[in-house]
């Protein structure tokens, strides 16, 4: 490639940099994350460009997690806006559609309307991750993420910022969308002083003019005004003690456990887990010794190129531990019971070196003893992509992706402890207690009552439906229902059901045995749900056993994109060395199926009896 280093080529590159570019057109790649650190295939770093993102898009975003701002297509937007160098011009991109309403991309939306005078966006839809199970969407590129076409125009003579939007009808065939584009692509328009731009005219019926709100939401958020009047569950500024932060119901909260190596630190069987983790720690310490010896020979080492990906499941955090020389010792006492997915407990090796992020979980459930008195409400985090909001209570450490493998969950505990399990403190604030007692004129309301009241509100269908969009933009806010004690009582009943599901009654399903097969309750590969007569379902446990008489209503209790029973079926399968029968009781899984069916029906019955909590407008006086 020496020919690229010629004087002529250098001059060509300089001419390109100096050229007065006024139009940038492209179809940038979109990929914010590599699937696994062990792929060792990170997106290329652009120090100057990424600094521009930090001082613009990231600075003006309310999000805590901002990885998506360094997706290549976002970098292209930043680069293109800067490359116009203050000139009038147009940026036309086909990209991932996530910036249209993504929570972490509020800063991008803000700056697009600062950098350009008019923005036109064609929403081509096609985001399969936002659909209900079984619902079909079409995508012009046959990919899972939504796609859009953006025309960003800078016209210095027009001071007023304008935003126009149109959505292509969602159909089951991408050809329909392509045909729609063909029909609505006009012949080029002349650019005149009177015309809006050469892109489109404001009175074109396909365009809808949008007015962003104060939080830089482009698309209207249903129920936002009323939602803002309710009591905030939590706030990141409030929990960090930032001056001027709003008052909240909970003093603190945190994400669930984020391991980045589930297959290493989780298992149904304690002994299987301990054997695997002991080998992993031994391999890590060997890598640490090899790294230390290499550092004695050379000053700088590229850790991404140095580590052995065949021996260990790496992530960025474990690499940092390696570089900093952190060690750990194998300790069987670190194996803790945890809630991995809804109604699916597994053993977790709870060691901060082996886990990417423990967040504040060591202060919520620091010891097994804390599980006997503490409970926590896990809710869908801001920006969740599952078809619906989810909430679940537990008295164990729980996974970050508790109710949706693609979404994070935030944990709101009843109590908070010191890391050694002492100094128990209530997590419901005194301010919240005052608000509830004053509104209901009831000095008998306690903090635990508020905790369970909240749990019931977050299950109520009218609440979820009315604030479905608002819940994707911020953490839940809580109304004052007409009957506090009806909700507190229902929330306590729901909490007891969900926390103690392993001791719930077994729903009377029929055990049907196959002739000629040796009786067995064990899951041999994966269970299978089948439709049966009279609107019921049957569950095939193995070749010998099927459970019949599952009411169809039981599948109505949803957590994210699955019912409770479907989560159980998905998780309790034999996968590699993982054995869901490793509980020491051959009937455990079959009994669990019956219990979860009973819990599902009871949950739906309790929720159905909850009145609309929004029937009374909150009194904030």
């Amino acid at each position: 490639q020496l020919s690229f280093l010629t004087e002529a080529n250098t001059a060509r590159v300089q001419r390109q940099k100096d050229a007065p570019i006024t139009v940038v057109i492209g179809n940038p790649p979109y990929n914010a994350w590599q699937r696994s650190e062990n792929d060792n295939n990170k997106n290329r770093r652009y120090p100057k460009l990424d600094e521009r993102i930090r001082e613009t898009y990231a600075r003006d975003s309310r999000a805590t997690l901002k990885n998506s701002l360094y997706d290549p297509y976002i970098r292209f937007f930043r680069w293109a806006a800067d490359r116009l160098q203050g000139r009038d011009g147009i940026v036309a991109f086909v990209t991932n559609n996530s910036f249209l309403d993504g929570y972490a991309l509020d800063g991008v939306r803000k700056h697009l309307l600062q950098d350009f005078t008019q923005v036109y966006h064609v929403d081509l839809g096609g985001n399969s991750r936002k659909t209900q199970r079984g619902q079909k969407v079409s995508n012009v590129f046959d990919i899972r993420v939504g796609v859009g076409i953006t025309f960003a125009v800078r016209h210095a003579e027009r001071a007023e910022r304008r935003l126009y939007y149109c959505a292509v009808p969602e159909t089951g065939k991408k050809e329909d969308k392509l045909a729609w584009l063909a029909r609505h692509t006009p012949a080029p328009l002349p650019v005149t002083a009177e015309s809006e731009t050469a892109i489109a005219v404001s009175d074109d019926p396909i365009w809808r003019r949008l007015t962003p709100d104060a939080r830089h939401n482009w698309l209207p958020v249903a129920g936002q005004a009323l939602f803002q009047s309710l009591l905030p569950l939590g706030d990141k500024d409030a929990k960090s003690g930032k001056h001027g932060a709003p008052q909240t119901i909970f003093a603190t909260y945190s994400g669930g456990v984020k391991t980045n190596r589930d297959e290493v630190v989780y298992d149904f069987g304690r002994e299987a887990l301990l054997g695997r983790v002991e080998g992993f720690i031994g391999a890590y310490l060997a890598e640490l010794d090899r790294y230390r010896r290499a550092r004695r020979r050379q000053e700088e080492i590229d850790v991404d190129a140095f580590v052995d990906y065949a021996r260990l499941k790496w992530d960025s955090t474990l690499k940092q531990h390696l570089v900093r020389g952190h060690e750990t010792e194998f300790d069987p006492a670190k194996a803790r019971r945890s809630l991995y997915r809804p109604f699916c407990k597994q053993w977790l090796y709870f060691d901060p070196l082996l886990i990417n992020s423990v967040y504040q979980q060591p202060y919520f459930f620091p010891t097994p003893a804390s599980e006997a008195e503490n409970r926590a409400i896990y809710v869908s985090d801001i920006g969740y992509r599952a078809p619906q909001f989810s909430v679940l209570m537990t008295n164990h450490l729980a996974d970050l992706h508790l109710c949706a493998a693609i979404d994070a969950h935030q944990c709101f505990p009843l109590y908070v402890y010191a890391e050694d399990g002492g100094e128990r403190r209530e997590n419901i604030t005194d301010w919240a207690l005052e608000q509830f007692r004053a509104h209901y004129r009831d000095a008998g309301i306690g903090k635990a009552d508020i905790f369970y009241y909240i749990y019931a509100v977050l299950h109520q269908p009218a609440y979820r439906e009315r604030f479905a969009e608002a819940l994707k933009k911020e953490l839940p806010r809580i109304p004052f229902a007409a009957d506090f004690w009806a909700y507190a009582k229902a929330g306590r009943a729901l909490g007891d059901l969900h926390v103690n599901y392993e001791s719930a009654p077994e729903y009377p399903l029929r055990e049907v045995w196959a002739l000629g097969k040796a009786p067995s309750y064990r899951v041999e590969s994966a269970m299978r749900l089948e439709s049966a007569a009279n609107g019921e379902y049957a569950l095939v446990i193995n070749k010998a056993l099927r459970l019949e008489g599952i009411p169809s209503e039981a599948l109505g209790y949803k957590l994210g994109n699955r019912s409770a029973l479907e989560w159980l079926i998905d998780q309790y399968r034999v996968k590699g060395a993982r054995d869901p029968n490793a509980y020491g009781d051959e009937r455990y899984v079959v009994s669990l199926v019956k219990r979860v069916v009973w819990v599902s029906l009871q949950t739906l019955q309790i929720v159905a009896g909850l009145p609309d909590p929004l029937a009374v407008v909150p009194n904030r006086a």
Side-chain angles (χ1 to χ4, degrees):
Q1 298 183 3
L2 291 177
S3 61
F4 290 137
L5 304 179
T6 64
E7 183 176 346
N9 186 68
T10 302
R12 181 193 63 78
V13 170
Q14 191 60 47
R15 284 196 306 273
Q16 179 178 319
K17 289 182 177 181
D18 296 338
I21 298 296
T22 56
V23 178
V24 183
I25 303 174
N27 175 19
Y30 10 112
N31 172 29
W33 301 276
Q34 59 182 359
R35 286 185 176 273
S36 165
E37 188 79 16
N38 277 36
D39 294 342
N40 195 23
N41 184 32
K42 293 180 178 177
N43 290 328
R44 180 178 173 180
R45 295 183 176 90
Y46 295 86
K48 292 182 179 179
L49 180 57
D50 290 351
E51 178 58 31
R52 284 286 293 141
I53 290 175
R54 282 191 290 274
E55 65 189 22
T56 56
Y57 300 161
R59 182 196 64 197
D60 290 335
S61 174
R62 294 181 296 123
T64 301
L65 185 63
K66 302 180 182 181
N67 300 41
S68 57
L69 292 176
Y70 300 93
D71 188 303
Y73 90 90
I74 298 296
R75 284 172 164 155
F76 268 88
F77 269 119
R78 182 68 273 164
W79 176 88
D82 291 343
R83 184 62 181 84
L84 292 181
Q85 297 174 333
R87 304 181 185 90
D88 284 357
I90 298 174
V91 172
F93 282 162
V94 179
T95 68
N96 183 330
N97 226 7
S98 61
F99 77 94
L100 187 62
D101 58 1
Y103 175 72
L105 301 170
D106 51 345
V108 176
R109 294 190 293 272
K110 175 182 178 180
H111 280 271
L112 278 174
L113 287 176
Q114 289 181 350
D115 296 335
F116 298 93
T117 53
Q118 297 113 269
V119 175
Y120 297 81
H121 185 80
V122 183
D123 186 353
L124 296 171
N127 189 343
S128 63
R129 293 169 177 166
K130 289 187 177 181
T131 60
Q132 298 282 352
R133 296 191 71 190
Q135 180 183 356
K136 292 183 178 181
V137 298
S138 57
N139 191 295
V140 292
F141 291 143
D142 296 326
I143 57 179
R144 295 190 64 191
V145 300
V147 176
I149 306 172
T150 307
F151 302 97
V153 182
R154 181 182 293 160
H155 197 295
E157 293 182 4
R158 298 186 178 275
E160 182 185 7
R161 265 50 181 174
R162 294 191 177 189
L163 172 63
Y164 295 101
Y165 169 83
C166 74
V168 177
E170 193 64 76
T171 69
K173 295 182 179 180
K174 73 174 184 179
E175 290 78 12
D176 294 336
K177 292 186 176 181
L178 296 175
W180 187 97
L181 287 172
R183 290 195 307 273
H184 291 86
T185 302
L189 298 174
V191 180
T192 67
E194 291 75 26
S195 65
E196 178 76 8
T197 67
I199 301 299
V201 291
S202 59
D203 60 353
D204 189 318
I206 72 168
W207 294 106
R208 176 159 60 104
R209 186 172 176 183
L210 302 179
T211 302
D213 65 18
R215 293 173 176 259
H216 310 293
N217 294 312
W218 284 5
L219 299 176
V221 179
Q224 184 70 15
L226 176 58
F227 193 70
Q228 288 297 313
S229 72
L230 309 182
L231 304 183
L233 204 64
D235 180 86
K236 66 177 182 179
D237 289 339
K239 73 173 182 176
S240 62
K242 188 174 180 179
H243 179 70
Q247 297 280 8
T248 57
I249 296 176
F250 286 90
T252 192
Y253 62 95
S254 168
V257 176
K258 178 187 177 188
T259 76
N260 279 17
R261 53 179 62 81
D262 291 1
E263 64 275 22
V264 176
V265 297
Y266 279 112
D267 205 292
F268 288 106
R270 185 174 183 273
E271 296 307 314
L273 171 69
L274 293 176
R276 184 170 59 252
V277 167
E278 187 172 19
F280 187 94
I281 291 175
Y284 168 78
L285 294 176
E287 281 288 271
L288 179 59
D289 179 65
R290 186 171 71 90
Y291 181 81
R292 285 170 171 167
R293 287 186 279 110
R295 282 299 304 271
R296 288 195 288 268
R297 297 192 301 270
Q298 60 189 98
E299 185 175 347
E300 293 294 333
I301 294 177
D302 180 358
V303 67
D304 291 333
F306 176 85
V307 298
D308 186 346
Y309 293 99
R311 296 188 69 187
L312 289 172
K313 175 72 166 60
W314 293 95
D315 66 353
S316 59
T317 303
L318 189 62
K319 288 177 180 179
Q320 290 173 10
H321 287 311
L322 182 80
V323 171
R324 295 168 183 170
H326 294 168
E327 300 182 11
T328 189
E329 293 183 358
F330 174 70
D331 182 0
K334 292 180 180 179
R336 297 277 303 278
R337 294 291 279 163
S338 72
L339 192 65
Y340 179 63
R341 293 292 183 266
F343 308 105
C344 176
K345 288 181 182 177
Q346 294 194 32
W347 288 96
L348 168 67
Y349 192 82
F350 195 55
D351 184 331
L353 189 138
L354 272 64
I355 293 173
N356 177 277
S357 301
V358 297
Y359 299 114
Q360 294 189 49
Q361 294 295 319
Y363 303 99
F364 299 167
F365 295 103
T367 64
S370 65
E371 298 166 0
E373 60 185 9
N374 201 15
R375 291 183 175 186
I377 299 172
Y378 283 79
V379 302
S380 297
D381 199 4
I382 299 166
Y384 68 88
R385 291 170 287 175
Q388 58 181 273
F389 176 83
S390 58
V391 57
L392 189 61
M393 187 182 292
T394 183
N395 62 340
H396 290 287
L397 296 164
D399 192 78
L400 178 69
H401 303 292
L402 178 62
C403 298
I406 62 173
D407 292 332
H409 285 73
Q410 293 290 343
C411 169
F412 293 84
L414 180 58
Y415 300 116
V416 177
Y417 303 79
E419 202 164 2
D420 63 359
E423 302 178 22
R424 191 185 84 174
R425 305 181 304 279
E426 292 178 312
N427 194 31
I428 300 284
T429 63
D430 293 338
W431 173 84
L433 182 62
E434 292 172 5
Q435 297 296 306
F436 277 89
R437 285 181 171 177
H439 181 86
Y440 291 104
R441 297 180 176 86
D442 188 342
I445 294 174
K447 292 184 176 181
D449 301 319
I450 296 172
F451 182 77
Y452 290 109
Y453 170 94
I454 290 168
Y455 195 53
V457 168
L458 295 178
H459 277 84
Q460 215 282 336
Y463 171 89
R464 290 192 183 190
E465 182 178 355
R466 187 163 190 171
F467 297 129
E469 291 303 315
L471 287 167
K472 293 182 179 181
K473 300 297 182 182
E474 59 182 292
L475 291 169
R477 288 173 173 266
I478 305 301
F480 291 117
D483 188 339
F484 173 86
W485 289 107
Y487 268 85
K489 180 180 178 181
R492 190 176 292 272
L494 288 169
D496 290 343
L497 264 178
H498 300 157
V499 169
N500 302 316
Y501 70 91
E502 288 180 300
S503 58
E506 296 184 15
Y507 188 82
L509 301 180
R510 298 184 298 276
E511 297 182 5
V512 180
W513 297 93
L515 296 175
K517 300 289 184 182
S520 172
Y521 287 97
R522 295 177 59 84
V523 176
E524 296 171 352
S525 57
M527 295 181 284
R528 186 175 72 256
L529 192 65
E530 297 180 344
S531 297
N534 302 321
E536 295 181 339
Y537 286 88
L539 182 63
V540 179
I541 302 296
N542 53 42
K543 295 179 180 178
L545 175 62
R546 59 190 279 125
L547 301 179
E548 295 184 350
I550 300 174
S552 58
E553 293 83 1
L555 275 66
Y557 173 39
K558 299 282 188 179
L559 297 117
N561 62 345
R562 294 188 175 99
S563 68
L565 183 58
E566 287 169 322
W567 274 115
L568 190 154
I569 295 168
D570 177 75
Q571 292 299 310
Y572 285 88
R573 64 175 65 198
V574 177
K575 188 175 181 181
R578 284 182 186 280
D579 184 3
N581 304 287
Y583 284 91
D585 176 5
E586 186 186 46
R587 293 193 77 258
Y588 177 85
V589 176
V590 169
S591 294
L592 182 61
V593 169
K594 297 178 180 180
R595 297 182 201 278
V596 167
V597 169
W598 190 87
V599 167
S600 297
L601 294 172
Q602 290 296 306
T603 298
L604 294 172
Q605 182 178 334
I606 294 171
V607 170
L610 291 171
D612 186 347
L614 304 167
V616 176
V617 177
N619 176 10
R620 297 297 302 278

